[in-house]
Structures are given as structure tokens and as C-alpha cells.
Amino acid sequence: MALAQYTEDSPAGKILTYLRRNGEATIRDLEELLGISTTAVREHLAHLEAKGLLATRQARGGPGRPRLVYSLTPRAEDLFPKEYDTLVTLLLREIASREGEERLDALLDAVGRRLAEEYRSQVSGADLEERLAHLRATLEARGIPVEVQSGGTLQVLACPYHDVAQEHASVCSMERRMFEQVLGEPVQIEGTIREGRRCCNFQIARSSE
């Protein structure tokens, strides 16, 4: 199981996996887990704490000073694989099966409008270039790599709905319409990752042209 930037067999990866499975751990627990010194364990813990991935509490278990007990923060959960794509694909498949593709398209349109409302609050500007720059920054902040090419082409370099889009091409249409609503300009799709391209190309045509 990959933990984003931490491999499962790295010391940090082992700590994160152990805490997710067991809930909490002391430094002694982690010394035994990793087979390294107290100083080395503390270094790894300090690194993970600095990243906002660990929380601590004091626990008293007998005479002497209280021990520090470590656990994961909610932010750490983002490092672990999720089955969202599988769940969404199954849900969309069920909707299409029960209510038909037309109903599914209408549902995705509604989802796109909600997404557009979220993005619009962060995308402003009197001209298209400025709005594209704001949209790019907003998408990048959500972990979606994007480039803006001269001539008004928005390139999405990694599909945020990759597994879902493989089965439902209407997801790509939803994204196109969402960009239209956010940018206030017509948008055309000129190739997608779903079709085997390196990126998804959205060509923005100024309405005045």
C-alpha cells in the first residue's frame, strides 16, 4: 500500500501504517517495530509532526514521568488509498441501469453546476487570461496539475475522475460545461486522457470572437 510520498517499507511509512492499524503508539512501541534507537525514532516522529501528520497526548502508566502517545491526525488519512472511484463508478452504473443514461447525464449536469459554484467564488477577473490563471491556481490547490497554453487552451494533466471517466464519457462533458460556467466562455474538448492522450485539452473560445 503506497502512502503518497512515503513508501510502505520506509520508517515513516511503517509508523503511519502501524498507527492506522493500532490507533496509538509510544516511542518504545516504535523502537520495537523499526528496530532502531530512541533517537532515530524521535527524528522520524519529529518529521511527521512537522508535516502535521501526528498528534500527541500524555499518558501515565505507573511511576515516573508521563509517556507521550502518538496517533494520526485527520490530515494523515489523506495519505492512504481510498476507494472513492470504485464507489462512484458503481453508483453511476446503478443510476444508469435503473433510470437510464439520460437521467445520469442530468445528474452529472447538476453536480457540475455545484462544482462551478464552488470554483466561481475563487475565479475572477475582467479578462479571460486572468480568469484562467485563477482557475489554474484553484485546481492546482486541489492537487490537479494544470497548464494554460497561449491561445486559451486549458490542459488538465491528470484526470481527477480517471477511473470513473473510463466507464462514463459523460464525466468529461460535465467537466467541460463546468469550465464554461466558471469562465463565462464557450469551451470545447480537443482530446482527453480517456482517449489515450497525454492530457485533457479544453479550448476556450472567447464569445466575442
Side-chain angles (χ1 to χ4, degrees):
M1 173 176 58
L3 300 172
Q5 68 266 44
Y6 303 107
T7 58
E8 186 179 9
D9 59 354
S10 69
K14 288 180 179 179
I15 290 171
L16 293 168
T17 300
Y18 181 92
L19 290 175
R20 195 177 193 228
R21 180 179 292 273
N22 295 280
E24 293 184 325
T26 63
I27 289 178
R28 176 64 61 84
D29 294 329
L30 298 176
E31 284 178 30
E32 294 176 2
L33 172 71
L34 300 175
I36 58 179
S37 68
T38 300
T39 300
V41 170
R42 289 184 187 278
E43 288 177 358
H44 290 300
L45 292 173
H47 166 77
L48 293 172
E49 279 190 280
K51 295 286 187 181
L53 302 176
L54 297 184
T56 60
R57 70 177 181 85
Q58 289 189 336
R60 188 177 293 278
R65 293 187 305 173
R67 300 170 301 161
L68 279 180
V69 179
Y70 294 83
S71 60
L72 298 181
T73 64
R75 174 188 253 180
E77 283 297 325
D78 293 338
L79 298 174
F80 293 88
K82 301 292 189 294
E83 287 296 316
Y84 296 149
D85 277 356
T86 301
L87 175 60
V88 172
T89 298
L90 291 174
L91 285 171
L92 294 182
R93 186 183 297 166
E94 191 67 20
I95 291 168
S97 173
R98 292 187 180 205
E99 303 190 35
E101 291 291 339
E102 188 173 331
R103 176 60 179 157
L104 175 59
D105 288 347
L107 176 64
L108 287 172
D109 263 349
V111 171
R113 286 194 295 273
R114 287 186 178 272
L115 281 172
E117 289 174 8
E118 287 188 30
Y119 285 127
R120 258 199 302 263
S121 64
Q122 303 169 66
V123 176
S124 60
D127 57 60
L128 177 60
E129 285 71 22
E130 190 176 357
R131 295 195 298 276
L132 277 170
H134 286 168
L135 178 58
R136 178 182 183 276
T138 301
L139 292 169
E140 291 271 3
R142 297 191 176 202
I144 304 170
V146 172
E147 289 182 2
V148 176
Q149 302 295 326
S150 60
T153 299
L154 184 72
Q155 292 186 328
V156 179
L157 305 177
C159 178
Y161 320 108
H162 184 271
D163 290 349
V164 180
Q166 297 306 305
E167 187 166 330
H168 300 282
S170 48
V171 169
C172 302
S173 299
M174 175 202 76
E175 188 88 329
R176 180 190 66 78
R177 289 190 290 269
M178 186 269 286
F179 287 150
E180 281 188 335
Q181 294 170 49
V182 173
L183 296 170
E185 303 286 357
V187 176
Q188 297 297 325
I189 300 176
E190 296 185 348
T192 65
I193 293 171
R194 182 180 185 274
E195 298 167 335
R197 302 287 187 89
R198 182 183 69 85
C199 60
C200 296
N201 288 298
F202 296 90
Q203 180 65 44
I204 295 87
R206 290 172 174 82
S207 53
S208 59
E209 294 178 348

